[in-house]
């Protein structure tokens, strides 16, 4: 059995570098939680470039976006001297364990992953790659290779963490205790931030009209929020089923101002949606403006960014390599030199 020396729980998560800027849902649903989990946990966070190529990417843009994503994680508050912050493709054990885990996964089981269904439906199934189909299994390997206890993500990733649990248990049963079975760490209040133009769907980089991109100019962010779709009433009330647009704005405002959503809602008694939108925009900009400035500063020093990436990759590999070695041994592979 692989045991860890320290009793500190380990958390692991990742984000795709598929757009120049993170959208608000990425931050509120996941990265904000990564920051708080640094304390009391052994934290591993990564830019998942291998996941990004499941859909076509322009190489020059991808290169820029990897650096931008790495810088944004730091700008959001992840300290690379506290957490292990790295780029997925710098650690080859992910793809190596990914193959092993593909061989543990049933075709039907992989077919049930809703993200594949959504994403392939958007691009047309003829264009969906096999990589897009098997990508949840690479995610399984991402998590298991670090023996993570917790995976801080938004609601849309829950199914992938459940698959990780199933495959970890299956492998442990078949080959002996090898993997820690991880739990999803999902913050209920911000698990799903909704699209500003269509509050029935989640905010997503691939639906840019209803998303707020944190690196956009303050004027653009403000305009986006002020034109959010609400409803035909005028009362500000937190009621996600009946008033999804207004409730989404309340969630965003409450989170950025560290208040309870009901308290925020009550403070708009007698005021209209205009006031709520203006205050939400102001709260988002108060976070986004210094965030963008810090990202510019970090990406302005590529040598330092690359140094941080290399340090992160070395720390990550030191954990991932022994897990893979144990897995290969359990499978019956013969080690180089027979050792
Ligand atoms: P990705 O890059 O799509 O999203 C990164 C994180 O942001 C969360 N998120 C949201 N949360 C709330 N509301 C939203 N509207 C919203 N949109 C995005 C996502 O849930 C996610 O936590 N497959 C993953 C990346 C990944 C990963 C991993 C995560 C690869 N390997 C291992 C955890 C562990 C993805 O595509 O996330």
């Amino acid at each position: 059995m692989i045991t860890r020396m320290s009793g500190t729980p380990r958390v692991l998560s990742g984000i795709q570098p598929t757009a120049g800027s993170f959208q608000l849902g990425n931050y509120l649903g996941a990265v904000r939680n990564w920051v708080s989990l640094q304390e009391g946990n052994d934290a591993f966070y990564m830019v998942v470039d291998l996941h990004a190529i499941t859909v076509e990417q322009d190489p020059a843009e991808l290169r820029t976006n990897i650096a931008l994503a790495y810088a944004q994680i730091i700008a959001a508050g992840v300290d690379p001297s506290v957490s292990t912050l790295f780029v997925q493709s710098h650690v080859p054990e992910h793809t190596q364990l990914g193959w092993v885990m593909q061989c543990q996964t049933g075709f039907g089981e992989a077919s049930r992953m809703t993200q594949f269904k959504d994403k392939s439906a958007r691009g047309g199934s003829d264009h969906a790659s096999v990589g897009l189909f098997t990508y949840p299994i690479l995610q399984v390997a991402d998590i298991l290779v670090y023996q993570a206890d917790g995976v801080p993500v938004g609601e849309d990733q829950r199914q992938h963490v459940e698959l990780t649990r199933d495959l970890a248990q299956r492998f442990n049963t078949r080959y002996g205790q090898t993997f820690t079975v991880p739990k999803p760490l999902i913050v209920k209040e911000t698990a799903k931030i909704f699209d500003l133009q269509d509050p029935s769907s989640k905010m997503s980089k691939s639906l840019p009209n209803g998303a707020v991109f944190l690196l956009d100019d303050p004027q653009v962010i403000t305009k986006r929020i002020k034109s959010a779709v609400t409803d035909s009433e005028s009362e500000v009330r937190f009621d996600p089923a009946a008033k999804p647009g207004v409730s989404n704005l309340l969630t965003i405002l409450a989170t950025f101002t560290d208040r309870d959503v009901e308290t925020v809602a009550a403070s708009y008694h007698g005021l209209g949606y205009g006031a709520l939108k203006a205050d939400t925009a102001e709260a988002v900009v108060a976070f986004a403006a210094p965030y963008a400035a810090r990202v510019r500063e970090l990406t302005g020093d590529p040598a330092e960014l690359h140094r941080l990436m290399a340090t992160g990759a070395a720390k990550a590999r030191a954990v991932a390599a022994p897990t893979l070695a144990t897995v290969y041994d359990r499978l019956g592979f013969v080690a180089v030199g027979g050792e």
Side-chain angles (χ1 to χ4, degrees):
M1 177 175 168
I2 301 170
T3 47
R4 289 209 304 272
M5 296 310 282
S6 91
T8 312
R10 185 170 288 154
V11 296
L12 170 126
S13 200
I15 187 161
Q16 298 208 35
T18 43
S21 169
F22 293 167
Q23 43 89 358
L24 198 52
N26 295 134
Y27 175 66
L28 295 181
V31 181
R32 193 168 185 274
N33 200 18
W34 299 5
V35 177
S36 37
L37 286 166
Q38 292 184 102
E39 206 174 310
N41 292 286
D42 184 14
F44 286 70
Y45 302 126
M46 61 179 167
V47 175
V48 293
D49 51 354
L50 294 167
H51 284 267
I53 62 161
T54 53
V55 296
E56 202 176 325
Q57 300 289 337
D58 173 77
E61 257 177 49
L62 181 60
R63 192 166 287 122
T64 305
N65 289 344
I66 291 166
L68 268 173
Y70 194 91
Q72 286 180 90
I73 298 171
I74 299 174
V78 169
D79 180 345
S81 67
V82 173
S83 299
T84 301
L85 178 60
F86 62 102
V87 175
Q88 187 188 25
S89 67
H90 292 175
V91 182
E93 285 79 7
H94 291 249
T95 38
Q96 292 173 295
L97 183 62
W99 173 254
V100 174
M101 298 319 290
Q102 282 191 46
C103 298
Q104 315 300 317
T105 312
F107 193 83
E109 195 170 33
S111 310
R112 284 193 290 275
M113 296 296 119
T114 52
Q115 280 233 326
F116 173 75
K117 291 186 202 166
D118 292 351
K119 289 193 183 180
S120 59
R122 244 180 252 159
S125 58
D126 280 356
H127 293 99
S129 68
V130 175
L132 185 63
F133 181 68
T134 58
Y135 122 114
I137 310 167
L138 179 59
Q139 183 166 350
V140 167
D142 294 340
I143 299 167
L144 297 184
V145 85
Y146 296 101
Q147 307 286 355
D149 300 286
V151 185
V153 284
E155 184 60 41
D156 61 345
Q157 298 297 316
R158 185 188 291 276
Q159 198 187 28
H160 296 164
V161 183
E162 292 301 331
L163 177 69
T164 310
R165 292 174 58 81
D166 289 348
L167 292 177
Q169 274 154 351
R170 187 173 308 159
F171 194 97
N172 288 345
T173 305
R174 194 154 172 211
Y175 298 101
Q177 180 61 38
T178 306
F179 294 123
T180 302
V181 180
K183 288 191 176 62
L185 301 176
I186 298 175
V187 178
K188 199 170 117 259
E189 291 77 10
T190 51
K192 192 169 180 181
I193 300 297
F194 295 91
D195 186 289
L196 295 182
Q197 288 304 312
D198 171 13
S200 67
S201 46
K202 70 159 188 178
M203 187 179 285
S204 160
K205 296 172 214 181
S206 49
L207 299 169
N209 292 337
V212 171
F213 291 97
L214 291 171
L215 294 180
D216 272 354
D217 285 338
Q219 300 89 307
V220 176
I221 293 177
T222 303
K223 200 168 160 219
R224 271 289 155 85
I225 295 172
K226 288 195 171 168
S227 54
V229 167
T230 49
D231 52 59
S232 55
E233 299 177 5
S234 59
E235 186 201 356
V236 175
R237 190 158 42 85
F238 186 70
D239 182 346
K243 297 170 79 67
V246 168
S247 302
N248 193 36
L249 291 173
L250 284 169
T251 300
I252 295 168
L253 177 56
T255 312
F256 274 115
T257 54
D258 282 317
R259 287 179 297 165
D260 168 76
V261 81
E262 295 292 353
T263 312
V264 176
S267 73
Y268 287 92
H269 188 74
L271 301 171
Y273 293 167
L276 171 64
K277 287 181 177 179
D279 291 348
T280 306
E282 199 182 310
V284 175
V285 167
F287 170 81
Y291 169 89
R294 180 80 179 113
V295 170
R296 277 195 295 276
E297 199 184 314
L298 287 159
T299 50
D301 187 355
E304 172 63 4
L305 219 49
H306 290 133
R307 191 190 65 75
L308 290 172
M309 286 177 184
T311 307
K315 277 162 71 184
R317 281 203 87 177
V319 175
T323 305
L324 186 75
T326 304
V327 168
Y328 275 13
D329 182 58
R330 296 275 149 86
L331 289 166
F333 288 176
V334 177
V336 178
E339 291 295 314

